């Protein structure tokens, strides 16, 4: 069986394709190629003149996607790099008819025990999506101050016990550096009062926070979504799938801001230069349906947002 067959079911693929309205000769970018599940569906609709640029910072995912999508020949152009540098990565590419971003980690990454993303398997605390990245989760736990740790657990993990965990980490790390996921899970479990046990794994929020910090996921997104919109042709569409509220909030903010009229209040007629740059294609965010959630639990938290570019703004 192909290595990707059981690894990653593309989330909300039918809705995504419908919203993208793929044209056979269109130019597309999948900014989060992963194992190429969404890209494969787009490529199946492209003719010989169509192109899909597939970006991923994870060289392993890119290698697997290349094999999976080899049958599309020159229609598929793989690019290794972070989507925060979309402008540079797509320099020379024509304006896009569509762009997909399916954020977060892939099941390939979660299943790669050695990356240390998972709190349920013991592994070195790495968490870098791009294994050439400079900072691992272990380095953050060893060097960040207590207040910095507290902030990332609060902000990126919404962890109410952030002060407790941060203080416990700082107290214990000189004697016993935290280098494995099992050590961190144990520390968190020991620091969680019985009365505060909540649904889900007690380490889930801390692991999420560390992953976001290691990969600078939010600041990258703040840069990447505006750049992705700028890369679109008029009539081009962007579809973004976010799995946690901080990411979704960034996507929502940028799409809403650029789909609003900039006409000053009280102006009787909207001048062309005040017309919105984008049209939202989905009211609010679209969610996966119950059947998909049951078949693919990864789809449970997803929020899909989409927009079409109406005009260029100087
Ligand atoms: C959820 S997976 C995408 C799965 C893909 N849609 C599929 O159907 O196979 C997200 C992918 O985005 C990549 N990724 C996350 N942040 C990235 C970034 N800043 N730059 C480039 N790739 C990134 C991850 O390495 C991962 O492979």
């Amino acid at each position: 069986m192909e290595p990707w067959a059981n690894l990653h079911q593309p989330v909300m693929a039918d809705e995504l394709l419908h919203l993208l309205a793929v044209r056979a000769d269109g130019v597309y970018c999948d900014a989060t190629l992963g194992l190429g599940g969404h890209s494969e569906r787009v490529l199946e609709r492209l003719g010989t003149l169509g192109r899909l640029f597939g970006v991923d910072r994870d060289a392993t995912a890119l290698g697997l996607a290349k094999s999976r999508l080899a049958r599309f020949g020159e229609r598929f152009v793989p690019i290794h790099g972070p989507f925060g540098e979309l402008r540079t990565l797509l320099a020379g590419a024509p304006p896009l008819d569509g762009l997909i971003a399916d954020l977060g980690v892939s099941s390939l990454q979660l299943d790669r025990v050695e990356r240390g993303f998972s709190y349920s398997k013991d592994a070195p605390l790495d968490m870098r999506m791009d294994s050439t990245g400079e900072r691992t989760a272990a380095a953050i736990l060893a060097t960040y101050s207590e207040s910095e740790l507290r902030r990332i657990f609060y902000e990126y993990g919404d962890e109410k016990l952030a002060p407790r965990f941060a203080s416990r980490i700082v107290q214990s790390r000189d004697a016993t550096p935290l280098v494995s996921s099992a050590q961190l899970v144990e520390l968190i479990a020991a620091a969680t009062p019985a009365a505060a046990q909540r649904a889900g794994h007690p380490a889930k929020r801390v692991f999420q926070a560390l992953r976001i910090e290691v990969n600078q996921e939010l600041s990258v997104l703040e840069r990447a979504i505006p750049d992705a919109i700028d890369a679109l042709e008029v009539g081009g569409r962007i579809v973004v799938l976010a799995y946690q509220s901080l990411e979704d909030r960034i996507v929502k903010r940028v799409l809403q801001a650029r789909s609003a009229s900039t006409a000053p209040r009280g102006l009787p007629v909207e001048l062309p230069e005040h017309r919105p740059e984008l049209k939202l294609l989905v009211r609010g965010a679209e969610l996966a349906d119950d059947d998909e959630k049951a078949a693919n639990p990864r789809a449970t938290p997803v929020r899909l947002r989409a927009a079409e570019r109406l005009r260029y703004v100087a």
Side-chain angles (χ1 to χ4, degrees):
M1 197 189 298
E2 303 291 10
W4 49 83
N6 282 326
L7 273 175
H8 193 100
Q9 290 297 326
V11 172
M12 295 186 80
D14 291 338
E15 290 84 349
L16 180 142
L17 281 167
H18 171 72
L19 287 163
L20 216 51
V22 177
R23 294 198 350 235
D25 60 351
V27 180
Y28 295 87
C29 173
D30 184 344
T32 52
L33 178 69
L35 296 182
H38 286 124
S39 287
E40 182 173 52
R41 301 283 300 272
V42 175
L43 282 158
E44 281 163 354
R45 284 162 177 72
L46 294 185
T48 43
L49 292 178
R51 289 283 174 281
L52 179 132
F53 297 90
V55 174
D56 208 294
R57 59 167 31 170
D58 181 335
T60 310
L62 200 75
L64 285 167
K66 270 192 211 169
S67 322
R68 178 185 196 166
L69 304 174
R71 70 190 156 101
F72 296 104
E74 289 182 357
R75 273 174 273 175
F76 170 57
V77 184
I79 301 177
H80 183 216
F83 63 57
E85 283 161 35
L86 212 55
R87 272 173 194 271
T88 316
L89 298 177
L90 292 179
L96 302 173
D97 295 292
L99 180 138
I100 309 168
D102 177 20
L103 304 171
V105 267
S106 67
S107 11
L108 169 77
Q109 290 163 332
L110 289 176
D111 290 350
R112 285 274 149 103
V113 173
E114 71 277 11
R115 294 280 181 94
F117 285 116
S118 171
Y119 44 78
S120 58
K121 295 171 193 135
D122 189 21
L125 277 168
D126 186 317
M127 298 199 192
R128 289 169 303 169
M129 286 190 197
D130 174 348
S131 42
T132 61
E134 59 188 38
R135 204 172 20 187
T136 63
I140 288 171
L141 291 168
T143 58
Y144 277 27
S145 67
E146 187 173 331
S147 65
E148 284 173 315
L149 290 173
R150 196 164 53 222
R151 181 186 64 79
I152 63 170
F153 297 159
Y154 259 140
E155 281 184 19
Y156 303 160
D158 197 18
E159 176 52 75
K160 298 190 177 45
L161 298 175
R164 227 183 147 91
F165 294 159
S167 122
R168 200 62 78 87
I169 289 165
V170 171
Q171 275 165 27
S172 68
R173 70 185 177 191
D174 286 341
T176 327
L178 283 165
V179 291
S180 78
S181 48
Q183 273 180 302
L184 180 59
V185 168
E186 203 180 302
L187 180 147
I188 290 169
T192 304
Q197 302 280 355
R198 279 167 287 167
H201 196 288
K204 185 174 170 194
R205 289 170 292 273
V206 166
F207 271 65
Q208 171 181 302
L210 284 169
R211 198 199 78 211
I212 291 175
E213 179 68 10
V214 166
N215 298 292
Q216 294 290 301
E217 290 175 29
L218 301 180
S219 53
V220 167
L221 200 59
E222 296 266 10
R223 243 193 348 265
I225 298 294
D227 284 352
I229 297 168
D230 291 343
L232 293 176
E233 178 71 275
V234 168
R237 293 173 163 207
I238 176 168
V239 184
V240 186
L241 279 73
Y243 297 85
Q244 41 105 349
S245 54
L246 296 165
E247 286 183 337
D248 182 54
R249 217 177 293 158
I250 294 172
V251 178
K252 176 180 169 183
R253 187 164 31 78
V254 178
L255 295 190
Q256 280 187 345
R258 291 176 72 163
S259 59
S261 166
T262 55
R265 274 184 184 215
L267 211 66
V269 187
E270 187 185 53
L271 300 172
E273 63 266 34
H274 293 146
R275 283 209 302 267
E277 186 183 1
L278 298 179
K279 172 175 82 181
L280 297 180
L281 299 173
V282 172
R283 271 173 73 88
E286 203 169 306
L287 312 178
D289 64 26
D290 290 343
D291 286 349
E292 179 167 5
K293 287 184 202 164
N296 181 10
R298 243 184 66 76
T300 304
V302 75
R303 300 179 78 77
L304 178 154
R305 296 185 188 270
E308 178 179 322
R309 188 166 203 184
L310 298 177
R311 66 185 190 96
Y312 293 118
V313 172

